[in-house]
Amino acid sequence: MAELGAIILAGGGSRRMGRDKAAQDWGGVRAVDRVAALARALGADPVVTAGRDYGLAFAPDPRPGAGPVAGVMAGAAMLKAAGCRRALVLAVDAPTLRPADLDPLFAAAAPGAAFESLHLPMLLDLAVLPSDARDDWPLALLVERAGLARPTCPDAARSRLRGANTPEEMARLLRGEADA
């Protein structure tokens, strides 16, 4: 039985970016593939995209534009069916994350954690997902209702954790990655 699976939220409209964030080229690799590689490096199997199909295991939204909580719940259903107990939930727009950036989440006690002031990434026991979660909930409410710990976000990782929602943020992260 798989212990940890991953959900990559990839269903947003990418309006501020102007192009599909998941398909963006990050050093010759699509953002979605970089995030999937990170999840696998952290031991996640299976890795599921929620919202859109990018050639990985795919959990469709229950309705178009349903929102991130719908993506989490759809992905969680697939992971549960695969026998997973825990989920790492990642945003597709954070492809420069490093495994060490997520150490505080993995160090947190059950049922899991999400950084304070950020709702993604999150690590959680699938059993704590509220059965009454609604598509229109903000991620903050899901985090609260699941009882997740809120460790402090490491300053050195903050920009990687926040990801890129605009071409300017993408350029900044690419420059920072080249300096690392």
Side-chain angles (χ1 to χ4, degrees):
M1 172 173 10
E3 172 70 15
L4 176 68
I7 304 165
I8 301 172
L9 297 181
S14 302
R15 285 178 286 287
R16 289 180 284 166
M17 182 63 78
R19 303 181 305 255
D20 183 357
K21 289 189 273 186
Q24 290 291 321
D25 183 316
W26 289 80
V29 180
R30 293 184 312 171
V32 69
D33 296 323
R34 286 183 65 131
V35 175
L38 169 72
R40 288 186 194 101
L42 292 166
D45 182 34
V47 175
V48 173
T49 59
R52 287 205 194 111
D53 185 355
Y54 291 96
L56 304 168
F58 167 59
D61 281 341
R63 60 182 174 74
V69 170
V72 171
M73 299 307 285
M78 283 189 69
L79 295 182
K80 286 178 184 178
C84 293
R85 187 180 72 76
R86 300 179 85 204
L88 175 62
V89 183
L90 300 163
V92 76
D93 59 9
T96 60
L97 281 175
R98 301 172 183 164
D101 295 340
L102 303 179
D103 285 348
L105 301 184
F106 281 90
F115 291 111
E116 69 178 359
S117 77
L118 298 173
H119 311 305
L120 294 173
M122 74 173 80
L123 178 68
L124 70 147
D125 294 345
L126 291 169
V128 301
L129 284 171
S131 60
D132 63 342
R134 295 191 341 238
D135 296 354
D136 63 346
W137 278 12
L139 279 170
L141 182 57
L142 183 71
V143 168
E144 177 186 320
R145 291 282 308 275
L148 303 185
R150 300 292 275 189
T152 301
C153 178
D155 287 336
R158 186 171 301 278
S159 62
R160 290 188 301 274
L161 289 162
R162 292 185 65 81
N165 288 299
T166 66
E168 296 78 21
E169 290 171 346
M170 182 178 174
R172 181 180 37 78
L173 283 172
L174 283 168
R175 281 191 310 272
E177 189 172 78
D179 296 336

